[in-house]
Amino acid sequence: MATFVLVPGFWLGAWAWREVTAALRAQGHEVYPMTLTGVAERHHLAGPEVGLDTHTTDIVRLIEVEALHDVLLVGHSGGGMPAAQAADRIPDRIARMIYVESGPLPDGVAQFDTMPPEEQQRLRAAIGTGHLLPPPAWDPAADPTNLAGLDEPTLALLRARATPHPLRAATDPVRRTGGRPVPTALVTSTFPLAVVRQMIGEEHPFFTGLAGGELFELPTGHWPMLSEPKALTDILDAAARG
């Protein structure tokens, strides 16, 4: 059976992987869901110095301290950036990097850079001189695509448990060492697979390094571990066996 390390996206902790973790363990896999520094139960550590490199070190140290090898490293959304950097730093420990609603941004690009200018301005105004990125309102009427598949109890859980995210995790650029590349896979939910294939074929920078990787489509919102945990578990299990 496989060893999984599950990295959540912005505003969430290991708790968001609870159903997927239980289901993967029931199938015999070893699973380590993570909470990154400054988020969820570690929110008290969210100082202005916490950034993308901090989160990369969180992942690397977990893998090293637990003496993990042949890891299937799963990065959801913004968690894909520190996961990609971790895979770049310790490629000998990683069997496959699996992006869930994410992608391997090219060297020198930050997550903030992928947003439209008007959204960057809106967020900068909301943040002011602070160092935390506030969570969304979790309002399906305002964001029906990303929140698709989430019922009201799950939305209420997100409103109660999501915490502001260290801003530098979004504004620090991805930095690669040029180490040995690891095999990849992508789980896409809000982008049709045909569109993703086209973007990869066109060498779109947001999908740099995914050519030749396994692609899975799971039509739902941006948080499939909450909206479709069983289907996501089945895909991760298939990726482990493939």
Side-chain angles (χ1 to χ4, degrees), residues 102 186-208 210-218:
S102 185
L186 170 69
V187 182
T188 178
S189 294
T190 56
F191 275 73
L193 196 55
V195 173
V196 171
R197 286 198 176 104
Q198 180 181 346
M199 294 173 74
I200 292 172
E202 294 172 351
E203 299 183 348
H204 193 287
F206 295 170
F207 293 107
T208 301
L210 279 178
E214 198 166 7
L215 304 177
F216 300 92
E217 187 172 29
L218 174 52

Side-chain angles (χ1 to χ4, degrees), residues 34 42 57 63 68-69 72 93 97 113 116 150 157 159 163 172 179 199 212 222-223 225 233 235:
M34 290 196 66
R42 305 183 70 196
T57 301
I63 291 170
L68 306 182
H69 294 272
L72 290 164
R93 301 282 188 120
M97 176 68 228
D113 298 333
L150 297 175
L157 183 67
R159 294 180 193 118
T163 55
D172 288 350
M199 294 173 74
H222 186 61
W223 287 273
M225 74 282 285
T233 298
I235 287 174

Side-chain angles (χ1 to χ4, degrees), residues 13-183:
W15 65 267
W17 293 104
R18 188 168 297 161
E19 289 189 54
V20 172
T21 296
L24 285 172
R25 286 174 177 166
Q27 293 176 347
H29 299 297
E30 190 174 2
V31 189
Y32 296 82
M34 290 196 66
T35 293
L36 300 172
T37 298
V39 191
E41 73 273 15
R42 305 183 70 196
H43 182 55
H44 60 291
L45 302 175
E49 74 285 353
V50 175
L52 182 56
D53 196 59
T54 313
H55 291 170
T56 301
T57 301
D58 287 339
I59 299 166
V60 170
R61 292 300 295 146
L62 171 72
I63 291 170
E64 291 179 339
V65 169
E66 295 288 350
L68 306 182
H69 294 272
D70 298 320
V71 172
L72 290 164
L73 181 54
V74 181
H76 168 253
S77 189
M81 293 177 298
Q85 287 196 157
D88 178 70
R89 293 184 186 181
I90 50 170
D92 56 311
R93 301 282 188 120
I94 310 300
R96 182 180 287 193
M97 176 68 228
I98 303 175
Y99 297 94
V100 177
E101 280 286 280
S102 185
L105 295 180
D107 189 79
V109 175
Q111 191 273 343
F112 221 68
D113 298 333
T114 68
M115 299 179 183
E118 59 274 15
E119 179 64 8
Q120 293 186 33
Q121 293 173 7
R122 185 189 70 79
L123 287 172
R124 289 289 189 189
I127 295 164
T129 59
H131 61 271
L132 296 173
L133 185 66
W138 310 109
D139 179 4
D143 194 5
T145 298
N146 285 322
L147 298 178
L150 297 175
D151 58 21
E152 187 50 43
T154 304
L155 290 166
L157 183 67
L158 284 163
R159 294 180 193 118
R161 301 198 66 175
T163 55
H165 201 86
L167 178 61
R168 283 187 51 195
T171 58
D172 288 350
V174 171
R175 295 299 182 194
R176 316 253 181 193
T177 66
R180 176 178 60 82
V182 302

